[in-house]
Amino acid sequence: MQTLTIIRPDDMHLHLRDGGALQTTVPYTARQMARAVIMPNLKPPVVSPADALAYKQRILAALPAGSRFEPLMTLYLTDKATPALVREAKAAGIAAFKLYPAGATTNSDSGVTDLFKLIPVLEEMARQGILFLVHGEVTDPEIDIFDRETAFIERVMKPVLARVPELKVVFEHITTAEAAQLVCQSGGNVAATVTPQHLLLNRNDILVGGVRPHHYCLPVLKRETHRKALIEAVTGAKSHKFFLGTDSAPHEKAAKENACGCAGIFSAMTAVELYAEAFEQAGALAKLEAFASQNGARFYGLPENQDTITLVKQPQTVPESLPYCGGLLVPMRAGQTVGWTVRY
């Protein structure tokens, strides 16, 4: 039986939610990942170091006994952010600030309305060595939803990188050939996370044969040409600039299957297996370890993890649903198989 042993990965983009949700979300990530960068878009958002450290304690309290999982905390960037807040965050050990353009995705109502007014804050991030995590979409209603990432690159990302060239930026959950190209052509201060859904699915998987709400995420899935461009990016000559970030985002089944159909895919249950499937399909399994376990740690300035996990080439059937906050949670690939299994 084929096996693959890799350094234990890190998830550099993860939504755990809060309260009772942590009893479901935390254990699934902790059994696969050593560390995870925790997104701050709670209600209310995590906007201060005190908020982040309190949230971290709630996450740690939900860990299974004996787990050594480490949450890496972030702050939600708002229009009220100041250089002094950046310095306070640095002193508190906060890993990064997260940009949500106002209205771009789930719980982004408190997001930034004009990033260029926060240039002094970004300059202080560059001085302090705090990372800037970017949800890269414009929210102009005149821009087609499939073009929002590309428009963001031209309107926001390139001008900001020109204004603050030392800023260390992670272009989160990229979905387009244009985003992959920007990362490849930028300096060593720019990297990107890529999700399993954007490596395995395209927009047909949302719309063909009926609307599939559990495949709806933001940024939305794109054309097959873009999916292929992402595969080429994570396996190609500049693959060291790309790393694992699931953007695993749980929503109760009833919230996904209703008139508003909230955005988010819960992939944490079989995250490493899904990535292994994508890399295997690309004939690049040998590059999975760097993507999952080394590139992100290096960019964040963290040591590589000392333990390993082993994947077995053995199909597993993903459950149709999981208990979640009194309701149900539908995981990615629900009711279907994944070609690999992590040996626990």
Side-chain angles (χ1 to χ4, degrees), residues 242-327:
F242 301 89
F243 42 87
L244 187 157
T246 62
D247 193 24
S248 182
H251 292 280
E252 205 273 325
K253 181 180 180 182
K256 292 286 288 181
E257 298 176 6
N258 68 17
C260 66
C262 53
I265 296 177
F266 180 70
S267 60
M269 182 180 184
T270 56
V272 178
E273 294 97 320
L274 289 163
Y275 282 113
E277 193 173 282
F279 276 74
E280 181 183 34
Q281 290 174 3
L285 265 177
K287 293 200 171 185
L288 176 63
E289 182 176 57
F291 174 84
S293 314
Q294 296 174 308
N295 298 345
R298 185 183 310 114
F299 194 78
Y300 272 76
L302 300 170
E304 290 182 6
N305 299 312
Q306 295 301 302
D307 59 336
T308 61
I309 63 170
T310 296
L311 294 116
V312 181
K313 180 63 175 173
Q314 178 178 347
Q316 61 173 305
T317 300
V318 179
E320 292 279 0
S321 62
L322 309 166
Y324 182 69
C325 296

Side-chain angles (χ1 to χ4, degrees), residues 17-153:
R17 308 305 186 207
D18 204 357
L22 297 176
Q23 301 304 315
T24 298
T25 58
V26 172
Y28 279 119
T29 289
R31 69 178 185 166
Q32 293 199 339
M33 308 292 177
R35 299 172 289 216
V37 177
I38 309 301
M39 294 298 105
N41 59 331
L42 304 182
K43 285 188 174 182
V46 179
V47 297
S48 73
D51 292 339
L53 296 177
Y55 183 29
K56 181 177 182 177
Q57 291 306 309
R58 297 195 296 275
I59 294 168
L60 293 175
L63 283 173
S67 174
R68 292 179 291 174
F69 172 75
E70 180 184 3
L72 305 173
M73 307 311 293
T74 65
L75 296 187
Y76 189 118
L77 188 67
T78 73
D79 289 341
K80 297 180 180 179
T82 64
L85 176 63
V86 175
R87 294 189 290 273
E88 184 183 351
K90 176 68 173 182
I94 302 301
F97 279 78
K98 176 63 185 281
L99 169 69
Y100 292 103
T105 189
T106 302
N107 298 347
S108 62
D109 295 344
S110 301
V112 172
T113 57
D114 184 353
L115 184 59
F116 294 100
K117 292 182 179 179
L118 294 177
I119 291 296
V121 175
L122 302 184
E123 291 172 338
E124 189 63 27
M125 286 185 208
R127 282 190 288 270
Q128 297 295 332
I130 287 188
L131 276 66
F132 184 43
L133 315 182
V134 175
H135 181 114
E137 293 187 288
V138 300
T139 56
D140 185 338
E142 295 183 0
I143 301 296
D144 188 290
I145 191 171
F146 292 102
D147 298 329
R148 287 181 172 184
E149 185 172 280
T150 302
F152 182 90
I153 291 169

